[in-house]
Amino acid sequence: MIFNKKTHFEVQRVRRKSAFEQEKEHFLCVRVVKTMLMKEYRICMPLTVEEYRIGQLYMISKHSNEQSERGEGVEVVQNEPYEDPEHGSGQFTEKRIYLNNKLPSWARAVVPKIFYVTEKAWNYYPYTITEYTCSFLPKFSIHIETKYEDNKGSNDNIFCSEPRDEPTEVCFVDIAYDEVPERHCKDSEDLRYFKSKKTERGVLQEDWIDTQDPIMCSYKLVSVKFEVWGLQTRVEQFVHKVIRDVLLLGHKQAFAWVDEWIDMSMEEVREYERATQEATNLKIGTFPPAIAITETPLSSSARSGPNSAPSTPLSTEAPEFLTVPKDRPRKKSAPETLTLPDLQGRRDSIFKLPSFFSWNSSPQPE
């Protein structure tokens, strides 16, 4: 048998390639299975589903206004009626949540100065869909499906319209006894001591879910997806923790403010929503372009930009590296003028160059 060296190495190369392809396929299969982290949150409240229809709109508007400041907070881009062939009449809203200053320092170093998350919500109460995306992070998204029922959170099949490959973790949130972040703690919103004057509901004891009447439950199926190898699990778990804190605070405030909205009609709460949204947008401020690069009109393709480009607005303030430094007060110890020695005279007296260094001049006799 004649040994063909070229053929031998070709066979080895094909074998190595085949093993690599098998490993690649296994890796892709694993990545497909682990696509997102899903949890179901159940938040009970001493309200009826019909009452919370008003309370939800009031709470979201007031909470957004309270959490907004110059350049930070929630800007309402669109809020209008929406008709869906499956779910019927509803309300569509689109918001931009600016949170650059709320990011950790390492994140602020890599994201645009004006960084926001886009929220799109379809409200077909008592069923809603909410989606969060970020143009700067195309592989990041949050999907929330919500249903409301008049019970204590006992419906285990409320989201079982489609079978799931893995069981979903169920998290019960207690608006009275679960701790909110310290910066959001207010005595007026401590439901362990709060009692409504208009409804006479409260104070909520430790077993209030079993004894309260009326009672309702907000069921939220939350899916968080961040498809970045090495960071997916950690980021998805962190985002779920933030979402849980937001849900706890929002539902806690909805009942703590019940005396402010319980007598409102749908028309009145929509008017309050409109007025509060205008005030919130003014508080955040608008962001027209700050620097004109050229006066030559751009083509439509250049104006729209590629699909992958983040559509972040510009700030009215110049970037830090373009700002003119402010005049600093002069120290008292610093002299007003600085007198330099006569270097020219000293140079002529000390150094006498030979005649061959005198360019463009005739030699002078010594």
Side-chain angles (χ1 to χ4, degrees), residues 254-294:
F255 180 60
W257 299 336
V258 63
D259 289 343
E260 302 176 23
W261 57 261
I262 193 65
D263 295 329
M264 283 186 171
S265 64
M266 179 57 69
E267 291 74 18
E268 290 172 336
V269 76
R270 286 296 184 191
E271 177 60 27
Y272 172 83
E273 185 181 42
R274 183 195 61 77
T276 307
Q277 289 172 0
E278 291 180 359
T280 303
N281 288 355
L282 289 174
K283 183 186 291 188
I284 296 175
T286 55
F287 303 94
I291 303 174
I293 304 300
T294 177

Side-chain angles (χ1 to χ4, degrees), residues 295-333:
E295 295 182 0
T296 305
L298 301 176
S299 63
S300 59
S301 60
R303 187 162 50 245
S304 59
N307 294 332
S308 60
S311 57
T312 36
L314 299 177
S315 170
T316 55
E317 300 177 357
E320 294 181 0
F321 61 87
L322 292 180
T323 56
V324 180
K326 298 181 179 179
D327 295 333
R328 292 179 292 182
R330 182 184 297 273
K331 295 183 179 180
K332 295 183 179 180
S333 59

Side-chain angles (χ1 to χ4, degrees), residues 38-66:
M38 182 182 296
K39 292 185 180 182
E40 180 184 324
Y41 297 91
R42 301 182 187 181
I43 311 106
C44 292
M45 288 184 293
L47 303 168
T48 66
V49 171
E50 189 60 31
E51 288 173 339
Y52 188 60
R53 184 174 192 174
I54 303 293
Q56 177 198 39
L57 298 175
Y58 182 91
M59 176 270 294
I60 292 175
S61 297
K62 183 176 179 178
H63 176 85
S64 299
N65 185 266
E66 284 189 348

Side-chain angles (χ1 to χ4, degrees), residues 210-256:
D210 297 324
T211 59
Q212 176 64 39
D213 185 38
I215 192 169
M216 63 158 288
C217 184
S218 173
Y219 296 83
K220 291 184 175 289
L221 185 63
V222 181
S223 304
V224 178
K225 182 168 65 174
F226 185 68
E227 295 178 327
V228 176
W229 175 250
L231 294 174
Q232 180 173 9
T233 300
R234 181 178 300 179
V235 171
E236 290 178 351
Q237 290 176 347
F238 171 78
V239 172
H240 266 287
K241 181 182 182 303
V242 174
I243 290 175
R244 187 187 182 281
D245 290 342
V246 171
L247 295 177
L248 171 60
L249 179 62
H251 288 77
K252 177 189 287 285
Q253 290 177 332
F255 180 60

